[in-house]
Amino acid sequence: MAPIQMEPLLPPIRYGDKILLIGSCFTEHIGNALAEHKFETFQNPHGILFDPASVYHSLIRYIEQKPYTEADLFYLNEVWQSWHHHSRFSGTDKHAVLAQMNSTLETAHRFLKQAGWVIITLGSSFSYRLNANNPQAEHSGLKVANCHRAPGQWFDKKMLEIEETVSLLDNLYHRLRIFNPDAKLLFTISPVRHLRDGVVANNRSKARLIEAVHHMVQKFDRLYYFPAYELVIDVLRDYRFYDVDLAHPNYPATEFVLEKFTENCVDEASRQLMKEIRPLMIARRHKPFHPETKVHRQFLKAQYEKARRLTEQYPFLDLKEEMAYFGQGNNMGI
């Protein structure tokens, strides 16, 4: 493996920090790991986002808390959808779709106001805009976060210039500082390779993101960079660490990145607590072959006691779901 120098994150992430994560699918690898270890997180309120323009629009929308209306929706493939949301928000009932979008928007607004960290993972410099070929002429020029399998001729594809991305991130930084002066920003670049754009275009796209982010980190305080991209591309540097599509890092690769993230971005006391929580989370995923046996009931009771002890020792931990699950042992006659 190639060596890499990584400066510890100062101040580090710790339990008690509210952490909002937004961006590409690699964001959710980090977010899921933090959530599993009971950090207080909220990830991708609009769903997965790839380009800086989409991330910018979403975060500004959380700040302004401007509700979505029927004018923001379109009907395609028998469902109502939004150009600014992932398809998990789509549905057949227009009012239910809007209700979910605006409920999530309200939650994101409140969470971002109190967040200690905003972790942004950028995946691609390519931005898509609706053109005059789309049925909603009034939306022409709109930057979209998700194309929702709409006809390709509805969109114009553009690779954002470095200056455009810097301008978006610069404005975002100042809006966030006004909205939540305590929030710190941690940028990462996704190591997922966008091979549909072609290898050369993918590398140009990532290079522009890297240059723009480093420009911001060097210009302002309370901005930081974690080299997830470099850890996979330059340190692991082997197709053994990719899935069969040769685009997405596989489990060993993501675990390697998460290990480095924990070592360099999380404080020592929190790392020790993570080690105590991890066995409990593994036990929670355990699928018993014979759940009716006394041995399994004893297993549940032992895990319940561990969870109870942790909540007494660390009152900020939310282990209600785990205690309810393991509490079955107490209801089985042990």
Side-chain angles (χ1 to χ4, degrees):
M1 293 185 182
I4 185 171
Q5 291 182 331
M6 297 177 60
E7 295 293 331
L9 187 61
L10 295 174
I13 295 168
R14 53 175 56 89
Y15 281 101
D17 292 337
K18 288 179 178 288
I19 307 166
L20 188 140
L21 303 100
I22 186 170
S24 80
C25 52
F26 203 79
T27 299
E28 303 199 341
H29 287 296
I30 299 174
N32 290 341
L34 291 172
E36 184 177 59
H37 287 88
K38 299 304 175 178
F39 285 86
E40 190 172 0
T41 66
F42 189 27
Q43 58 180 325
N44 276 337
H46 273 63
I48 293 170
L49 307 169
F50 294 102
D51 68 283
S54 299
V55 169
Y56 170 83
H57 169 272
S58 296
L59 283 167
I60 295 299
R61 198 85 180 215
Y62 308 153
I63 291 171
E64 296 178 346
Q65 202 181 5
K66 179 183 176 183
Y68 286 96
T69 68
E70 292 187 15
D72 294 304
L73 303 182
F74 66 97
Y75 192 71
L76 180 68
N77 297 327
E78 301 183 75
V79 292
W80 291 98
Q81 314 198 59
S82 159
W83 294 119
H84 297 302
H85 291 77
H86 189 267
S87 56
R88 67 180 172 87
F89 285 89
S90 303
T92 56
D93 185 327
K94 179 194 299 184
H95 301 291
V97 168
L98 280 175
Q100 182 186 10
M101 289 177 179
N102 286 322
S103 173
T104 304
L105 177 66
E106 182 180 345
T107 302
H109 174 83
R110 293 197 307 268
F111 193 95
L112 182 57
K113 185 67 175 176
Q114 300 176 334
W117 287 95
V118 179
I119 299 179
I120 299 174
T121 302
L122 300 176
S124 174
S125 292
F126 282 104
S127 178
Y128 289 82
R129 303 184 188 197
L130 287 172
N131 60 33
N133 295 322
N134 85 89
Q136 296 174 297
E138 69 276 13
H139 287 172
S140 294
L142 181 71
K143 295 176 181 177
V144 305
N146 196 305
C147 295
H148 296 293
R149 301 184 182 275
Q153 60 266 29
W154 289 10
F155 307 97
D156 292 328
K157 177 181 177 182
K158 177 190 177 184
M159 187 188 296
L160 296 175
E161 300 290 344
I162 294 173
E163 293 76 12
E164 291 179 279
T165 298
V166 167
S167 178
L168 289 168
L169 298 181
D170 192 295
N171 189 39
L172 175 61
Y173 170 78
H174 286 95
R175 293 292 300 274
L176 278 171
R177 286 301 300 270
I178 294 170
F179 180 68
N180 178 355
D182 297 326
K184 299 170 285 294
L185 276 71
L186 178 60
F187 285 100
T188 70
I189 305 300
S190 170
V192 176
R193 305 163 75 222
H194 291 242
L195 297 180
R196 289 184 180 180
D197 299 322
V199 173
V200 173
N202 171 73
N203 289 341
R204 291 181 63 207
S205 167
K206 299 287 188 184
R208 293 187 184 193
L209 295 177
I210 292 169
E211 183 62 27
V213 166
H214 280 285
H215 174 89
M216 293 293 298
V217 170
Q218 292 169 8
K219 184 177 180 180
F220 298 111
D221 62 349
R222 304 174 76 84
L223 265 71
Y224 308 90
Y225 179 72
F226 174 71
Y229 177 82
E230 291 81 358
L231 284 169
V232 175
I233 300 297
D234 294 311
V235 177
L236 296 181
R237 199 178 176 85
D238 195 311
Y239 280 123
R240 289 178 299 164
F241 295 103
Y242 279 88
D243 276 338
V244 292
D245 62 3
L246 300 182
H248 290 80
N250 60 18
Y251 179 79
T254 56
E255 284 297 296
F256 175 75
V257 173
L258 291 171
E259 177 184 325
K260 295 299 181 184
F261 179 86
T262 303
E263 288 176 3
N264 291 275
C265 299
V266 179
D267 80 319
E268 174 63 25
S270 297
R271 292 202 299 270
Q272 293 305 314
L273 181 52
M274 290 173 73
K275 291 179 181 178
E276 293 190 64
I277 292 173
R278 185 168 178 79
L280 198 66
M281 298 303 106
I282 293 173
R284 175 66 177 84
R285 295 195 298 266
H286 174 68
K287 301 294 183 184
F289 286 112
H290 304 290
E292 72 283 359
T293 62
K294 183 178 180 180
V295 170
H296 179 64
R297 295 197 299 271
Q298 290 173 336
F299 168 80
L300 290 176
K301 185 175 182 180
Q303 300 306 317
Y304 178 86
E305 290 301 320
K306 289 180 184 178
R308 184 185 60 79
R309 177 182 59 80
L310 282 172
T311 55
E312 289 179 354
Q313 188 174 357
Y314 305 102
F316 54 83
L317 285 181
D318 182 2
L319 295 174
K320 291 192 291 290
E321 288 186 11
E322 287 72 25
M323 293 184 70
Y325 176 79
F326 294 128
Q328 297 176 73
N330 295 328
N331 299 325
M332 293 179 178
I334 292 180

